[in-house]
């Protein structure tokens, strides 16, 4: 169904991916008649795209608990089920994040050993590869010390398979780097981390602060979903404000307008580096199947970025490796929740 | 004593303020001999600056609880006591934030009716005045619904007196704008806010997200000190990263170097708008006296900005008005803590 922008943006994103690859196939879920009409209009799309009819829509403001009860006829449910039935390797959606997580937990179930799934995002950074990983950016609003340690394991797995970093450096987000700072669960996790890092083959670099999110001292930043979500949206908002100020600065005088023209290539490169569309794609970690959440407001470039990320993760066998990694640290009492429990969690 | 940069930066900041004003006097606290030597070197400083000898230093990594027990001979203690003794109208410090808050609570005491003091900062925004207010950015790591409501009252008072906004619009930071989103204390505060807004003469605009921090839909953003601190440092880090990318973009090609030269005035104006030094100065709200915290890494421009903010707040009679405002909403059970309680709180 697409996000705020509707079906067409999704099909345009697919078309962009197909320009470079011919070994990827798509199943699109939504109203068959409308979709088929749009697909016929686009060259080559019909060859690589199959339509699955689903008339209902999960709206952007739908409550996750309602969608779990009544969402069976929606395109979102249908898309997730295509991964559940192993027809598809990965699902990509621009829809309602809370509903997507709730339905993914309900239909795909959590990996054995995972208490809370998390959403991981890529963060522009000073590291060689250009990105850090941060999680959780909004799957849940809480995380205790056990969750934070699982986030670290899952984030390390993502950094290994998604970014190709053999031994990722993990930092725990806090309000200061001193040992005595922060909430109780952070201090407990901080004490437990060195031992976990050794068995899970990552480096624990200790507490990091908000200013370290784009740092080259760390590859993966672990935090609860409330803090992570605020940090992510704050960074996007700050980048947006600066982009606005920058464009105003270049329109301020005739001289600065000439300057903007001369610097256009360099400014475009800058634009790409800080363009949130290019880092589009939150990955749901901790489920039996990979789910990639694209921004609701994503345009074709954004959708294509999310699709490419989904393809990269699938090709690396990411989810199987993640499952093995988490299972190796399986602790008693941490099994997949029943729908009732999920339901309560997603309110 | 200054922050990371030592005494000289503080004196340079004072000198900058004195260039424009002759009706402000300073008491500087630190090692008398060293300070007097530096002051003699600077034109006009000795006329407006008095030295108070204090040899001990609160180091940047000192634990607040230790400073409360053993900090009596420090420059920080001495500076706060000059407000306590009504020799000074306001104290400005570049030192250890946790220690400054702990000593301020111990020596100045909380205003009657205030449970948790908060640190408010200015946030570059799309609003006409150029700034929004956010609090708490790190006085404490927690805040319950009562605290959040007090933060709103104090933030509204700050916006009125510091920014001249008659009826400030208050938003509550959350992971979404829908009523069902977020932590329990946020939902409770959200339900209580409309009634409080009416009696306290501010507008409650509801939940806001990280992306709304620079928005022109809101003047004051209320959050707990953990989230606020992470958001503040994330925004600073993002702005820093973009500044770096921008300067790289302008050095990329000969053409872009010419462009940078042509656009230099506009770029300088942009630099000013996003320069964290110009918004330097966290204000401690909820104490019997005004305390302004400057960045530890502030240079003379940063120190001068913090001093100007301190002067502006003092001249507006800010703290007296704030006290009256908070007292008007006095609830039983919310009186100033004893030192032991403060001590525990600042761990």
């Amino acid at each position: 169904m697409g996000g705020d922008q509707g079906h067409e943006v999704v099909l345009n994103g697919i078309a962009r991916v197909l320009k470079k690859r011919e070994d990827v196939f798509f199943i699109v879920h939504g109203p068959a008649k409308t979709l088929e009409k749009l697909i016929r209009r686009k060259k080559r799309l019909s060859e690589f795209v199959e339509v699955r009819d689903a008339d209902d829509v999960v709206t952007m403001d739908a409550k996750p608990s309602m969608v779990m009860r009544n969402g069976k006829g929606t395109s979102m449910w249908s898309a997730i089920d295509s991964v559940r039935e192993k027809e598809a390797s990965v699902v990509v959606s621009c829809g309602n994040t809370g509903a997507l997580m709730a339905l993914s937990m309900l239909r795909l179930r959590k990996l054995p050993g995972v208490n809370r799934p998390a959403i991981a995002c890529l963060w522009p950074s000073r590291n060689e590869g250009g990105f850090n990983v941060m999680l959780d950016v909004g799957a849940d609003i809480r995380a205790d010390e056990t969750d934070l340690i699982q986030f670290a394991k899952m984030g390390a797995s993502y950094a290994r398979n998604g970014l190709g970093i053999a031994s990722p450096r993990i930092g725990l987000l806090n309000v200061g780097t001193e040992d005595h700072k922060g909430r109780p669960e952070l201090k407990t996790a901080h004490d437990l981390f060195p031992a976990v890092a050794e068995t899970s083959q990552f480096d624990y670099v200790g507490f990091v602060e908000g200013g370290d999110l784009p740092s080259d001292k760390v590859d993966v930043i672990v935090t609860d979903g409330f803090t992570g979500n605020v940090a992510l949206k704050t960074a996007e908002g700050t980048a947006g404000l600066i982009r606005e100020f920058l464009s105003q600065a270049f329109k301020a005088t005739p001289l600065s307008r000439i300057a903007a023209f001369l610097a256009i290539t360099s400014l475009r490169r800058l634009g790409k580096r800080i363009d949130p569309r290019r880092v589009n794609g939150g990955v749901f970690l901790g489920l039996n199947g990979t789910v990639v959440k694209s921004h609701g407001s994503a345009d074709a470039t954004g959708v294509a970025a999310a699709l490419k990320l989904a393809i990269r993760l699938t090709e690396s066998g990411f989810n199987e490796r993640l499952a093995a990694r988490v299972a190796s640290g399986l602790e008693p009492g941490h099994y997949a929740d029943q729908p009732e429990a999920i339901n309560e969690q997603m309110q």
Side-chain angles (χ1 to χ4, degrees), chain A residues 1-2 7 11 14 25-36 39 48-56 72-89:
Chain A
M1 281 302 302
H7 327 288
L11 294 174
I14 291 177
F25 296 85
F26 297 87
I27 309 173
V28 295
H29 305 256
K33 274 189 190 162
T34 319
L35 288 172
E36 274 157 7
I39 288 167
F48 294 91
V49 178
E50 198 186 316
V51 174
R52 203 61 48 88
D53 190 39
D55 270 335
D56 279 7
K72 207 163 178 185
T74 62
S75 56
M76 191 184 276
W77 185 297
S78 172
I80 293 168
D81 264 24
S82 65
V83 167
R84 181 187 157 107
E85 307 301 337
K86 311 233 181 286
E87 279 186 302
S89 318

Side-chain angles (χ1 to χ4, degrees), chain A residues 270-285:
Chain A
L270 169 70
K272 273 195 183 183
R273 288 178 84 171
I274 61 170
D275 186 348
R277 296 177 306 169
R278 310 221 156 231
V279 293
N280 186 32
V283 180
F284 291 8
L285 302 177

Side-chain angles (χ1 to χ4, degrees), chain A residues 51-272:
Chain A
V51 174
R52 203 61 48 88
D53 190 39
D55 270 335
D56 279 7
V57 184
V58 174
T59 56
M60 283 314 219
D61 55 359
K63 274 186 87 166
S65 53
M66 290 299 291
V67 177
M68 289 175 79
R69 274 193 287 277
N70 311 317
K72 207 163 178 185
T74 62
S75 56
M76 191 184 276
W77 185 297
S78 172
I80 293 168
D81 264 24
S82 65
V83 167
R84 181 187 157 107
E85 307 301 337
K86 311 233 181 286
E87 279 186 302
S89 318
V90 54
V91 54
V92 178
S93 168
C94 306
N96 178 327
T97 310
L100 186 64
M101 180 51 94
L103 283 188
S104 299
M105 282 169 78
L106 179 71
R107 301 303 291 163
L108 301 179
R109 296 286 160 147
K110 294 188 280 184
L111 283 176
V114 169
N115 185 28
R116 281 185 219 275
I119 306 178
C121 76
L122 293 174
W123 197 279
S125 87
R126 295 182 180 87
N127 271 321
E128 214 178 306
F131 296 107
N132 290 343
V133 172
M134 181 163 81
L135 76 167
D136 175 24
V137 295
D140 204 329
I141 52 169
R142 288 153 302 186
D144 63 17
E145 54 269 23
T146 315
D147 298 323
L148 293 169
I149 285 170
Q150 280 189 344
F151 292 176
K153 288 181 188 178
M154 298 197 294
S157 207
Y158 182 26
R160 257 184 231 111
N161 297 290
L163 303 177
I165 301 164
S167 183
R169 294 159 301 167
I170 312 276
L172 186 56
L173 189 61
N174 199 349
V175 294
T177 53
E178 303 89 347
D179 286 349
H180 67 273
K181 288 275 176 95
R183 298 194 178 123
E185 69 271 21
L186 291 175
K187 291 183 216 171
T188 311
H190 183 64
D191 291 341
L192 295 171
F193 255 122
V196 177
E198 209 165 310
T199 58
S200 300
Q201 287 160 286
F202 60 75
D203 285 341
Y204 177 58
V205 301
F207 288 139
V208 296
E209 301 180 70
D212 297 321
L213 290 169
S215 154
D216 57 4
K217 294 180 298 185
V218 65
D219 301 302
V220 178
I221 297 103
V222 168
T223 187
D224 67 276
F226 187 92
T227 310
N229 188 275
V230 169
L232 176 63
K233 289 175 180 164
T234 299
E236 286 175 352
T238 305
L241 184 75
I242 297 176
R243 255 196 312 274
E244 250 180 68
F245 284 176
L246 191 62
S247 109
Q248 284 166 18
F250 275 115
K251 283 177 195 147
T253 66
L255 218 54
S256 62
R257 258 176 247 137
I258 297 172
F261 179 73
L262 290 180
I264 199 145
T265 322
S266 308
L267 286 175
R268 280 213 187 117
R269 199 177 316 121
L270 169 70
K272 273 195 183 183

